[in-house]
């Protein structure tokens, strides 16, 4: 028998159950993190100069302002769709000053824009992730007043072991080489970003990535115990970071996949054409009979600044309000058309100014409550 209470203020088991309450991030005071090998492993090379020369400064202020307006508008749209929205608290000095611990110093902290990266709700519990970047060590702080409030109302609250993030956690920059399956984080201690995990009831999927190590995955496995199965998926992706731009559950029996990063994990193969080439997508056998929806290429112009990610977040990083309603970026016409063909009701929200900060609607949110119970979909 499950100990999970569906009436708890914190209750979410999947990416698709009807969304009742959500945290939407704030991008205010977003600060450029310092150059570090853990960033080099994932940041687009054309922005490396910015990290090397402008760490500790604000991201371009006009962009931050427009992104902040987009977040406010997105929050209003969610409220109009009947979702309760809560926001983190950003205080002066949260990000734009140096921090030090016994193990490292960092010129700044990053932001509170991406609750999905730092928090994950599994059942009745909110878990704070032990993130792998020094610039994100204190990222839980802007969310603490919300988490305390949920705890007081009966929600569960766990902070995974805080990493030391000494040099032992990273491959030194002069030894670091990029390549699929090569990771910049060592197994010194558990680390993961919450957005590395995606939830389908009793089955939870994760990838080893530049910010999530096997030790971190094992911590989650033991923490969650027998009621859950954690499955590690492997993708062709040399900058792997966060599964929600790569493999996105859309409902029971439905998953959205990024054609640029095929899954190479199992024997259940499907094929599709991407840029004139036939591609193989190999999932574990448990996905037999599932619909594999292939994401459309993003239409974001090449010149659009993306400081942290590939452009695929524009088309893949969608938020489901239930099995029917999906929030898509308003200029991504091909994606919108596809979702309609697949039978979804599309809610179009402009988010182009937010994308540069490393994600879209899924990243910018964290589920607090979705109607539903813990089930198995396989
Ligand atoms: O480049 O697709 C997405 C990360 C979103 N949290 C990417 C990474």
């Amino acid at each position: 028998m499950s100990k999970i209470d569906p009436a708890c203020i914190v209750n979410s088991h999947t990416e698709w159950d009807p969304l009742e309450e959500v945290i939407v991030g704030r991008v205010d005071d977003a600060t450029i993190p310092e150059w570090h090998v853990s960033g080099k492993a994932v940041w687009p090379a054309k922005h490396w100069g910015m990290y090397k020369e402008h760490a500790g400064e604000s991201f371009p202020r006009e962009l931050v302002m427009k992104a902040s307006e987009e977040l406010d508008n997105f929050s209003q749209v969610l409220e109009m769709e009947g979702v309760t929205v809560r926001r983190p608290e950003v205080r002066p000095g949260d990000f734009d000053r140096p921090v030090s611990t016994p193990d490292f110093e960092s010129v700044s902290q990053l932001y509170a824009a991406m609750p999905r990266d730092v928090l994950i709700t599994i059942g009745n519990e909110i878990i704070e992730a032990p993130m792998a970047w020094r610039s994100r060590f204190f990222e839980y702080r802007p969310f603490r007043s919300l988490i305390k409030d949920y705890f007081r109302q009966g929600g569960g609250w766990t902070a995974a072991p805080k990493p030391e993030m000494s040099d032992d956690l990273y491959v030194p920059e002069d030894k670091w080489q990029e390549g699929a399956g090569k990771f910049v984080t060592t197994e010194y201690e558990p680390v993961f970003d919450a957005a590395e995990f995606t939830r389908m009831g009793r089955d939870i999927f994760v990838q080893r990535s530049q910010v999530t190590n096997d030790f971190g995955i094992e911590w989650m496995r033991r923490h969650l115990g027998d009621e859950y199965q954690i499955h590690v998926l492997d993708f062709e992706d040399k900058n792997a970071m966060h599964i929600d731009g790569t493999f996105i559950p859309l409902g029971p029996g439905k998953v959205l996949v990024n054609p640029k990063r095929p899954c190479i994990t199992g024997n259940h193969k499907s094929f599709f054409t991407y840029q004139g080439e036939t591609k193989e997508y190999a999932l574990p056998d448990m996905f037999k009979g599932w619909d594999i929806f292939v994401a459309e290429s993003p239409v974001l112009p090449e010149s659009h600044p993306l400081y942290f990610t590939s452009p695929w977040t524009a088309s893949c990083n969608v938020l489901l309000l239930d099995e029917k309603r999906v929030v898509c970026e308003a200029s991504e016409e091909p994606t919108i058309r596809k979702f309609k063909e697949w039978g979804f009701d599309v809610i179009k929200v402009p988010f182009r100014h937010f994308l540069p900060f490393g994600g879209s609607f899924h990243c910018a949110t964290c589920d607090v409550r979705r109607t539903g119970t813990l089930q198995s979909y396989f």
Side-chain angles (χ1 to χ4, degrees):
M1 270 294 277
S2 165
K3 301 180 291 286
I4 290 175
D5 174 8
C8 182
I9 181 92
V10 174
N11 182 66
S12 179
H13 306 281
T14 67
E15 308 295 331
W16 61 71
D17 280 331
L19 186 63
E20 295 178 32
E21 181 155 344
V22 74
I23 301 172
V24 173
R26 282 193 194 281
V27 72
D28 309 77
D29 295 353
T31 303
I32 298 170
E34 70 188 2
W35 177 252
H36 188 260
V37 66
S38 59
K40 184 180 185 179
V42 293
W43 296 334
K46 72 172 172 185
H47 297 297
W48 288 359
M50 178 191 79
Y51 295 103
K52 288 178 177 169
E53 285 150 36
H54 298 285
E57 297 173 22
S58 173
F59 279 96
R61 287 188 196 278
E62 168 118 1
L63 193 59
V64 174
M65 211 180 69
K66 287 184 176 159
S68 176
E69 284 167 13
E70 285 178 348
L71 279 171
D72 292 346
N73 175 61
F74 172 43
S75 303
Q76 275 175 13
V77 171
L78 291 174
E79 296 266 7
M80 276 169 352
E81 294 291 328
V83 180
T84 300
V85 174
R86 306 283 306 269
R87 309 289 301 272
E89 186 185 2
V90 173
R91 290 156 295 189
D94 273 351
F95 312 124
D96 59 354
R97 60 178 171 172
V99 300
S100 66
T101 76
D103 301 293
F104 71 86
E105 290 174 8
S106 174
V107 295
S108 55
Q109 293 288 291
L110 183 56
Y111 54 35
M114 306 290 175
R116 191 75 60 181
D117 296 357
V118 61
L119 304 176
I120 184 166
T121 299
I122 297 187
N124 295 156
E125 182 180 50
I126 296 179
I127 299 171
E128 294 175 13
M131 303 174 88
W133 293 356
R134 291 169 173 172
S135 58
R136 308 192 83 172
F137 185 81
F138 291 107
E139 203 160 307
Y140 60 90
R141 292 178 64 257
F143 299 95
R144 274 283 171 91
S145 53
L146 289 176
I147 302 171
K148 285 188 284 185
D149 191 37
Y150 290 129
F151 181 79
R152 289 189 187 107
Q153 295 182 65
W157 174 17
T158 295
K162 294 273 175 270
E164 291 170 18
M165 291 197 281
S166 63
D167 290 340
D168 294 320
L169 179 60
Y170 310 100
V171 175
E173 197 174 337
D174 57 350
K175 302 234 168 60
W176 160 246
Q177 277 183 332
E178 190 183 67
K182 292 190 176 152
F183 300 110
V184 73
T185 38
T186 68
E187 294 294 334
Y188 178 68
E189 60 191 337
V191 285
F192 61 82
D193 280 10
E196 213 73 77
F197 292 87
T198 194
R199 305 156 307 144
M200 307 194 202
R202 293 188 184 276
D203 293 280
I204 295 178
F205 298 84
V206 62
Q207 65 176 342
R208 181 15 168 147
S209 81
Q210 304 297 356
V211 292
T212 298
N213 61 12
D214 291 330
F215 207 165
I217 295 170
E218 184 56 22
W219 182 87
M220 189 66 117
R221 198 191 303 275
R222 282 204 223 163
H223 176 71
L224 294 180
D226 295 342
E227 284 193 292
Y228 294 88
Q229 283 260 18
I230 302 237
H231 308 265
V232 181
L233 299 180
D234 196 8
F235 301 90
E236 252 175 55
D237 182 4
K238 60 185 172 21
N239 308 112
M241 171 167 139
H242 303 169
I243 205 162
D244 59 351
T246 301
F247 180 83
I248 302 95
L250 295 181
K254 292 180 193 175
V255 61
L256 178 71
V257 304
N258 181 332
K260 194 102 194 261
R261 300 174 186 152
C263 187
I264 47 173
T265 309
N267 292 317
H268 176 56
K269 296 183 180 168
S270 46
F271 297 89
F272 57 87
T273 310
Y274 171 64
Q275 292 185 334
E277 253 182 77
T278 303
K279 293 257 189 182
E280 181 182 288
Y281 205 92
L283 280 166
D285 282 339
M286 62 196 292
F287 284 95
K288 255 187 202 139
W290 277 53
D291 289 326
I292 311 295
F293 295 126
V294 180
E296 284 293 311
S297 297
V299 295
L300 207 60
E302 276 283 314
S303 60
H304 199 77
L306 291 173
Y307 302 120
F308 296 99
T309 65
S310 80
W312 284 88
T313 46
S315 61
C316 290
N317 195 249
V318 295
L319 180 72
L320 290 158
L321 304 192
D322 52 36
E323 285 180 39
K324 192 97 180 139
R325 289 174 299 163
V326 62
V327 182
C328 291
E329 208 289 316
S331 355
E332 292 293 329
E333 284 298 336
T335 295
I336 292 166
R337 262 200 310 276
K338 266 289 172 219
F339 269 104
K340 287 184 179 163
E341 260 174 49
W342 295 331
F344 288 86
D345 293 337
V346 176
I347 301 166
K348 296 189 240 176
V349 176
F351 224 42
R352 275 205 167 172
H353 299 95
F354 185 79
L355 298 176
F357 298 96
S360 192
F361 306 110
H362 191 261
C363 299
T365 51
C366 170
D367 300 13
V368 173
R369 202 169 59 258
R370 289 183 185 261
T371 318
T373 53
L374 182 60
Q375 293 181 38
S376 178
Y377 298 93
F378 293 90

